[in-house]
Amino acid sequence: MADDLVLDTAIRNWVLVPLSVVMVLIGVLRYFVSKLIRSSQNPDTKAIKEGQAVIRARNLRSAAHLIPSKSFRSRRIYFTNEENGLLYVPKEEAQKAQAQMFQDPNMAMDMMKKNLSMIIPQTLTFAWVNFFFSGFVAAKIPFPLTPRFRSMLQNGIDLSTVDVSYVSSRSWYFLNLFGLRGFFSLILGEENATDDAQRMMQMSGGGFGFDPSKSLGAEKDSLDIIQHEWALPKMEHRAQDVLKNLAKKL
Amino acid sequence: MINVFTTMISHITLSLFCFNFWCCSRTFLSIIGGVIAGIWGFTGFTGFVFYFVVMLAASFGLAAKAKFSADSYFDSWNRVLLDGILGGLMSFVLFWTFAYDIVHIF
């Protein structure tokens, strides 16, 4: 009895297809609305300067063995000296910068706008699905799941003998939610990869200036730690070894 | 440390929601593969095996096109073999369910 229920064609016509169509349309709408709403964010000069200084210091660290000692030391002093080194941040300024970041109204507004544009359509659609399409079996998923998923997938169906593969429309909604991301990336171009990815990327881009003092301090410490060793004197030995190995192989 | 963490997260998300052409073709393939799996009536484990077979064939095709040297066109073998598999899995399951239902249940 639990296998092969035959479901009414009307369910397919009036539940599955409209739900998918609605979700696709809402996604397209959200994409255009977010394009319209997005205000051009003027990047913060100070944060960018600090970020670039950190990048320069990192490059210096990784290529330290390629320049002679004196040049390395002079570069290091440029970055880390106490008076006007790029990476040196006095303690009070650090506190002020952090407090400012937290109260910055622009950043808060932008994050709120992004969150809203993601959350509201999802909430509305979920409520709509729950209201209209509950209480019946909507689809059968082709793979079996453990009975623990029953409460999650079959919320409107009160029979416990029905196979867990027969799910309600709420799970069809979730399936669509995750599965249509790929579809959107096909039809809307690459830039709309929904919710989490973009938010995280922008947070990491904006979060770069979020804790400048910590990253600057960390870079300064790691620069101070480095023992400089110039690779040029050893270069002849290295060339010799490489050639020896080659000669052996031949 | 926090910077390392954030760059790690951005790399991971970049590779999950990849912004490149290879991801496009994998998505397309997973959709088509889902429809095919549904029409043929694969159930359960067979369907997932089919998905991974299709992904492997796609990777093989790409590797053959790149003349089996990952260094000349890509920065690592991971990008050829593993990029976009998880994202495509969700689309595959969605279209698999849809096609299976339309053909076999309704």
Side-chain angles (χ1 to χ4, degrees):
Chain A
M1 182 241 145
D3 36 2
D4 274 16
L5 290 179
V6 173
L7 298 172
D8 196 357
T9 324
I11 297 186
R12 175 189 60 184
N13 291 342
W14 296 102
V15 173
L16 291 195
V17 169
L19 191 53
S20 299
V21 164
V22 162
M23 288 187 74
V24 167
L25 289 179
I26 285 187
V28 169
L29 190 68
R30 179 172 63 192
Y31 170 68
F32 284 123
V33 163
S34 72
K35 256 194 159 180
L36 286 176
I37 282 190
R38 181 183 314 169
S39 49
S40 69
Q41 294 167 303
N42 293 330
D44 184 19
T45 346
K46 188 162 178 301
I48 293 206
K49 260 200 214 170
E50 281 161 0
Q52 296 295 340
V54 168
I55 293 180
R56 280 173 66 187
R58 229 181 269 161
N59 285 340
L60 176 64
R61 246 195 308 149
S62 59
H65 58 284
L66 297 173
I67 46 177
S69 297
K70 221 191 321 183
S71 351
F72 175 70
R73 257 180 281 135
S74 62
R75 281 175 174 84
R76 179 162 63 182
I77 290 183
Y78 173 65
F79 278 112
T80 62
N81 80 12
E82 309 273 300
E83 287 144 33
N84 53 2
L86 285 186
L87 297 180
Y88 183 66
V89 176
K91 283 232 170 63
E92 312 89 37
E93 260 196 37
Q95 304 288 350
K96 258 194 295 174
Q98 275 207 346
Q100 238 186 15
M101 280 300 153
F102 278 115
Q103 300 163 4
D104 199 6
N106 278 342
M107 247 177 63
M109 270 305 292
D110 277 335
M111 302 241 307
M112 255 183 44
K113 268 192 237 167
K114 275 184 218 118
N115 283 344
L116 279 183
S117 77
M118 288 306 144
I119 289 187
I120 282 197
Q122 282 185 11
T123 323
L124 283 179
T125 319
F126 189 54
W128 177 66
V129 166
N130 270 343
F131 180 63
F132 278 111
F133 301 123
S134 59
F136 56 90
V137 171
K140 175 179 198 279
I141 48 181
F143 46 93
L145 288 174
T146 61
R148 270 190 308 164
F149 283 102
R150 187 184 291 269
S151 60
M152 188 165 56
L153 297 177
Q154 284 188 344
N155 69 316
I157 307 168
D158 295 323
L159 309 168
S160 53
T161 52
V162 177
D163 223 359
V164 191
S165 304
Y166 291 94
V167 298
S168 68
S169 38
R170 190 193 277 188
S171 55
W172 178 245
Y173 167 74
F174 280 117
L175 207 62
N176 268 331
L177 191 64
F178 293 122
L180 283 179
R181 281 186 200 164
F183 188 64
F184 282 138
S185 76
L186 279 186
I187 58 178
L188 291 180
E190 310 286 342
E191 280 189 358
N192 74 312
T194 56
D195 39 27
D196 312 310
Q198 270 212 338
R199 234 191 309 171
M200 270 201 269
M201 294 243 308
Q202 301 208 347
M203 281 231 334
S204 78
F208 206 63
F210 194 67
D211 47 4
S213 55
K214 283 189 223 140
S215 53
L216 291 186
E219 278 301 320
K220 177 171 179 298
D221 290 335
S222 32
L223 257 189
D224 280 334
I225 284 181
I226 289 189
Q227 309 265 23
H228 178 258
E229 194 181 303
W230 195 20
L232 188 59
K234 304 238 181 79
M235 211 41 94
E236 294 173 337
H237 281 282
R238 270 181 66 181
Q240 202 179 19
D241 290 332
V242 167
L243 286 174
K244 264 197 219 160
N245 282 340
L246 270 182
K248 259 191 247 169
K249 280 192 203 147
L250 291 174
Chain B
M1 269 322 286
I2 295 190
N3 271 339
V4 169
F5 193 53
T6 48
T7 39
M8 253 176 52
I9 288 196
S10 52
H11 276 302
I12 292 177
T13 50
L14 259 184
S15 59
L16 278 184
F17 297 93
C18 35
F19 295 93
N20 57 15
F21 167 72
W22 176 222
C23 193
C24 259
S25 49
R26 268 209 207 267
T27 320
F28 193 60
L29 262 184
S30 56
I31 290 180
I32 301 283
V35 173
I36 291 182
I39 292 181
W40 273 351
F42 288 143
T43 54
F45 199 55
T46 331
F48 287 111
V49 164
F50 178 70
Y51 173 67
F52 284 112
V53 162
V54 167
M55 284 294 127
L56 277 179
S59 300
F60 185 70
L62 187 67
K65 186 82 180 174
K67 301 186 187 55
F68 288 108
S69 71
D71 294 325
S72 42
Y73 297 104
F74 299 99
D75 48 357
S76 76
W77 271 109
N78 281 348
R79 213 169 274 288
V80 175
L81 299 175
L82 304 177
D83 207 13
I85 281 193
L86 251 27
L89 185 66
M90 298 307 308
S91 307
F92 173 77
V93 167
L94 171 70
F95 281 93
W96 180 25
T97 311
F98 195 49
Y100 183 80
D101 282 343
I102 287 188
V103 173
H104 292 271
I105 308 286
F106 287 113

